Amino acid sequence: MPNTVHHYPTIKTASAIRAYLGGSFDPVHNGHLQLAMYVYEHLSPLAKLQQRELQVSLLPNARSPFKEDSTKPEHRLTMLKLAIQDTPLQINEIELWQAPPVYTIDSVQTLRDRYPNDSLIFIMGMDSARSLDKWKDGLRLTDYVNLWVFNREETSEFNQNLPATNSPTQLKSQLPASLQSLSTASATELIIAPSEHLTDCPILKNPNQGRIYIDPRPVSAISSTQIRQQLQRQLYQQRPQAPQSLNIKHAAETQIASLQPINDIIGDTAPNSFAKWLNPAVYQYIIAHQLYSAAQFR
């Protein structure tokens, strides 16, 4: 697939800008895509100005160590491919096929080894950033990459015109104390070309890493967990009471036919407020494969 990044040996190329949004993507939803696309659209003109390649990739993990049940990697990868069609976003499979647990610190070390001269950015929400001291070597992420942190709000929609609800000082104070000095006021600081850095800057660990930009715009805190729960309720409520004589395939086809039309599910006025966060192709894939229903784990 053209949007998939596979694991290849290190290749010497011109300095590039590479940003990664990690997660289980179980399932991928529009909140993920909006964050990644905002980063891409913000960095694209800067990359062109600096004549550097820009890649913004979704980085699906193998399986969250905090979840007992996780959808198979094959399904999550297919949903990601469906979701990023007609976008410039890519997929990096560096974690997906590894045996869990797979830790972020190991992934960023690998990426830094592979791209020693590139500007590497790891995208996350403030809810994750404030708990980095509880991750495995989480406070060392900035030894290898820059961080772009979004301010996640429980009730807000992703909208670039929304006013910031926290001052930069308030947002900075939410970071672990040892990382607060790495905060910068501009995303541009995450991609300054190596020759433009001051090598004697005491807080930088090398010219391409060690900065944290906190984006003050509030973004929706919609989660894959919420969407899974909503889908489970929908599939349970609308499942057909098929006679036992029917085979499984026929019962599944009956279930799919009985579900709400996709346009109703994703409409702004639909009572299901979470399903509208799904790409229609992703939603149809979920239904076709009976994901997030009790049948998935039988």
Side-chain angles (χ1 to χ4, degrees), residues 16-22 35-36 38-40 42-44 46-47 50 52-59 92 104 107-108 111-112 115 117-124 141-142 144-150 184 186-192 207-215:
I17 301 167
R18 305 178 190 275
Y20 303 91
L21 175 62
L35 287 182
Y38 174 74
V39 171
Y40 183 91
H42 190 92
L43 294 181
S44 184
L46 300 175
Q50 296 181 3
R52 303 171 70 187
E53 178 188 1
L54 171 63
Q55 288 187 3
V56 177
S57 301
L58 303 180
L59 185 70
N92 189 298
T104 301
S107 298
V108 298
L111 291 169
R112 175 52 66 195
Y115 306 116
N117 299 315
D118 291 352
S119 297
L120 303 185
I121 301 169
F122 202 81
I123 306 164
M124 64 175 61
L141 291 184
T142 51
Y144 305 95
V145 297
N146 295 308
L147 303 182
W148 188 319
V149 179
F150 281 93
T184 180
S186 171
T188 306
E189 289 293 316
L190 306 183
I191 63 165
I192 293 178
N208 297 309
Q209 67 206 39
R211 294 171 181 77
I212 301 175
Y213 170 62
I214 304 177
D215 198 313

Side-chain angles (χ1 to χ4, degrees), residues 2 25 118 214 254 274 277 285:
F25 303 110
D118 291 352
I214 304 177
T254 305
F274 293 126
W277 286 89
Y285 184 89

Side-chain angles (χ1 to χ4, degrees), residues 4-7 60-63 72-78 81 91-100 102:
T4 301
V5 177
H6 295 285
H7 189 162
N61 59 29
R63 179 177 63 79
K72 291 180 179 179
E74 294 86 348
H75 287 312
R76 291 188 287 123
L77 180 59
T78 299
K81 289 177 179 179
I91 302 168
N92 189 298
E93 300 178 31
I94 187 175
E95 293 187 355
L96 188 61
W97 307 108
Q98 296 185 51
V102 179

Side-chain angles (χ1 to χ4, degrees), residues 113-181:
D113 289 341
R114 188 182 303 175
Y115 306 116
N117 299 315
D118 291 352
S119 297
L120 303 185
I121 301 169
F122 202 81
I123 306 164
M124 64 175 61
M126 179 58 80
D127 53 330
S128 295
R130 70 167 64 98
S131 64
L132 282 176
D133 55 347
K134 298 178 177 62
W135 292 25
K136 181 179 182 293
D137 293 330
L139 299 180
R140 294 183 54 220
L141 291 184
T142 51
D143 289 353
Y144 305 95
V145 297
N146 295 308
L147 303 182
W148 188 319
V149 179
F150 281 93
N151 178 26
R152 287 163 59 92
E153 296 285 348
E154 287 297 331
T155 58
S156 65
E157 295 285 332
F158 187 94
N159 188 319
Q160 62 180 3
N161 296 319
L162 286 175
T165 57
N166 296 92
S167 70
T169 300
Q170 289 175 318
L171 292 173
K172 178 180 175 179
S173 68
Q174 296 184 49
L175 294 173
S178 63
L179 298 181
Q180 292 179 16
S181 63

Side-chain angles (χ1 to χ4, degrees), residues 71-72 74-76 78-79 82 235 252 255-256 259 281-297:
T71 305
K72 291 180 179 179
E74 294 86 348
H75 287 312
R76 291 188 287 123
T78 299
M79 288 189 286
L82 291 171
L235 290 169
Q255 177 179 6
I256 294 170
L259 293 174
V282 172
Y283 176 80
Q284 291 171 342
Y285 184 89
I286 289 170
I287 299 305
H289 292 81
Q290 293 188 290
L291 302 183
Y292 313 117
S293 65
Q296 178 187 5
F297 302 110

Side-chain angles (χ1 to χ4, degrees), residues 51 71 204 230 235:
Q51 297 184 324
T71 305
L204 298 182
Q230 190 78 12
L235 290 169

